[in-house]
Amino acid sequence: MHTSDTLELSLELLRQPSITPVDHNCQNIMADRLAKIGFAIEPMRFEDVDNLWARRGTTEPVFCFAGHTDVVPTGNLEAWNTAPFVPEIRDGKLYGRGSADMKTALAAMIVATERFVAKHPDHKGSIAYLITSDEEGPAKNGTVKVIETLEQREEKIKWCLVGEPSSTHRLGDIVKNGRRGSLNAVLTVQGKQGHVAYPHLANNPIHQAAPALAELSSTIWDHGNEYFPATSFQISNIHAGTGATNIIPGTLDVTFNFRFSTEVTADELKLRVNEILERHGLTFSIDWNLSGLPFITPVGDLVHATQKAIQDVCHIETELSTSGGTSDGRFIAPTGAEVIELGVLNASIHQINEHVNVDDLEPLAEIYENILINLLAS
């Protein structure tokens, strides 16, 4: 099979067993390549997490490639057709943990930057890299901490491209120009334990909570807007009881999540949930956890540069979307940066036998290079 610069670097990164939060030398591999083309390399380690901030140039505007070297655990090794960290090419596909999410995108970024700098050594502004090994984990000591550091020294990113796998059916068909917010909760409803034969001496929290849960699941929280679908409420777990058939449980635990648009705030959702639970007369407590605010990058310089690059390389009109889960873009967008996500197909991410199309790797590098040309060419 015909090799390429992007494929070769992808293979090198995929051989590193960088299960979150371990970087396992990936950032060193990237930093070595960037240092050779004039980047100032700044490792940033916070607790057990390695991060990399690298920058070429000292002036604004700053274009930043952002991404993560960590991958999710492999799962059952017996289920893989090949060893997850011994990448293999079969039938035009590159297999390995992290191939889609997102080491091939990291390789494409590096190759694109090398080619761009060779052609435009005196480019406008600066090119930067913000790479973490904490995206698939708690995301407490990764991008969020690097951004805090940059904010403290008033170092601003204007445009940011996150290499998350955004494509659905073919390379470049979807670009994420925002993400919904994510609000998690664990609801505990108090009842009174007792024998099922004597229900009048007990208070069943499942029965008490059922009408309230039905109302929560059928409530329309908003109607979305031009960028976002309507806010979604989903119950992901319900637990009560001791396992015995003859005991009325004393408590009920319900885990649920909101994926919410910019039409509503996290505080508004909390207030409305409390109002519904109180109206149903429940005795309850809720533990809330906000894992990400919604963000949106309206059509502007970065979106136009990306759309043009995809059109020139792939000859398709790309679609803007805010679907999917959260990404580290949620930490970068609040600084005022324009943020988009663009990468390979996401069909196999986090799955056994994760893979990408080998033929998508060079075009992705070409798209990234064209975006740099459209924004920073001297």
Side-chain angles (χ1 to χ4, degrees), residues 148-187:
E148 285 174 10
T149 304
L150 297 176
E151 286 287 283
Q152 285 165 7
R153 59 196 201 197
E154 297 183 349
E155 199 168 351
K156 285 284 188 183
I157 297 167
K158 180 172 177 62
W159 302 302
C160 183
L161 189 157
V162 187
E164 290 289 346
S166 64
S167 304
T168 301
H169 300 296
R170 57 174 296 186
L171 182 68
D173 60 354
I174 301 286
V175 168
K176 301 289 173 68
N177 67 321
R179 291 281 194 167
R180 295 174 293 175
S182 179
L183 177 62
N184 307 288
V186 178
L187 164 68

Side-chain angles (χ1 to χ4, degrees), residues 135-151:
E135 198 271 349
E136 299 291 9
K140 300 285 192 228
N141 293 302
T143 300
V144 64
K145 287 284 179 66
V146 178
I147 287 293
E148 285 174 10
T149 304
L150 297 176
E151 286 287 283

Side-chain angles (χ1 to χ4, degrees), residues 17-295:
S18 55
I19 297 173
T20 190
V22 177
D23 168 70
H24 210 282
N25 208 44
C26 291
Q27 290 173 26
N28 287 335
I29 292 169
M30 297 175 68
D32 287 346
R33 299 274 288 252
L34 292 172
K36 287 174 182 169
I37 54 171
F39 276 76
I41 305 300
E42 186 178 356
M44 292 190 189
R45 185 172 173 89
F46 299 104
E47 294 188 24
D48 62 343
V49 175
D50 286 305
N51 304 286
L52 172 66
W53 174 250
R55 179 167 171 170
R56 185 184 199 274
T58 56
T59 59
E60 295 182 336
V62 177
F63 177 94
C64 178
F65 283 115
H68 61 92
T69 54
D70 60 318
V71 299
V72 293
T74 58
N76 181 12
L77 291 173
E78 302 287 315
W80 284 75
N81 293 338
T82 55
F85 297 109
V86 182
E88 184 174 306
I89 297 169
R90 293 196 317 278
D91 302 322
K93 292 180 168 44
L94 170 60
Y95 288 84
R97 174 58 86 219
S99 55
D101 190 9
M102 53 171 278
K103 290 183 177 179
T104 53
L106 298 178
M109 291 172 182
I110 297 288
V111 170
T113 304
E114 290 170 338
R115 292 172 179 168
F116 173 77
V117 167
K119 297 171 192 168
H120 304 275
D122 301 316
H123 59 76
K124 293 186 291 191
S126 302
I127 306 172
Y129 276 71
L130 197 173
I131 308 297
T132 184
S133 60
D134 187 34
E135 198 271 349
E136 299 291 9
K140 300 285 192 228
N141 293 302
T143 300
V144 64
K145 287 284 179 66
V146 178
I147 287 293
E148 285 174 10
T149 304
L150 297 176
E151 286 287 283
Q152 285 165 7
R153 59 196 201 197
E154 297 183 349
E155 199 168 351
K156 285 284 188 183
I157 297 167
K158 180 172 177 62
W159 302 302
C160 183
L161 189 157
V162 187
E164 290 289 346
S166 64
S167 304
T168 301
H169 300 296
R170 57 174 296 186
L171 182 68
D173 60 354
I174 301 286
V175 168
K176 301 289 173 68
N177 67 321
R179 291 281 194 167
R180 295 174 293 175
S182 179
L183 177 62
N184 307 288
V186 178
L187 164 68
T188 300
V189 180
Q190 294 295 330
K192 184 180 179 184
Q193 187 172 309
H195 196 294
V196 294
Y198 303 96
H200 58 288
L201 299 177
N203 180 14
N204 193 322
I206 302 173
H207 295 186
Q208 293 289 322
L213 297 180
E215 182 173 341
L216 287 169
S217 61
S218 62
T219 294
I220 295 172
W221 305 94
D222 62 38
H223 296 283
N225 54 35
E226 61 177 316
Y227 293 111
F228 290 96
T231 291
S232 162
F233 169 88
Q234 290 294 322
I235 295 171
S236 54
N237 197 10
I238 293 180
H239 178 76
T242 63
T245 58
N246 61 352
I247 297 177
I248 292 170
T251 59
L252 167 70
D253 293 315
V254 183
T255 305
F256 61 86
N257 172 272
F258 283 102
R259 292 298 162 105
F260 63 101
S261 76
T262 49
E263 291 294 301
V264 66
T265 68
D267 285 342
E268 287 169 347
L269 291 172
K270 292 177 186 178
L271 284 172
R272 290 176 66 184
V273 169
N274 276 323
E275 184 275 322
I276 290 170
L277 298 174
E278 287 170 357
R279 180 157 40 79
H280 283 272
L282 302 182
T283 303
F284 67 92
S285 62
I286 302 187
D287 182 18
W288 295 99
N289 175 36
L290 178 64
S291 56
L293 292 168
F295 70 89

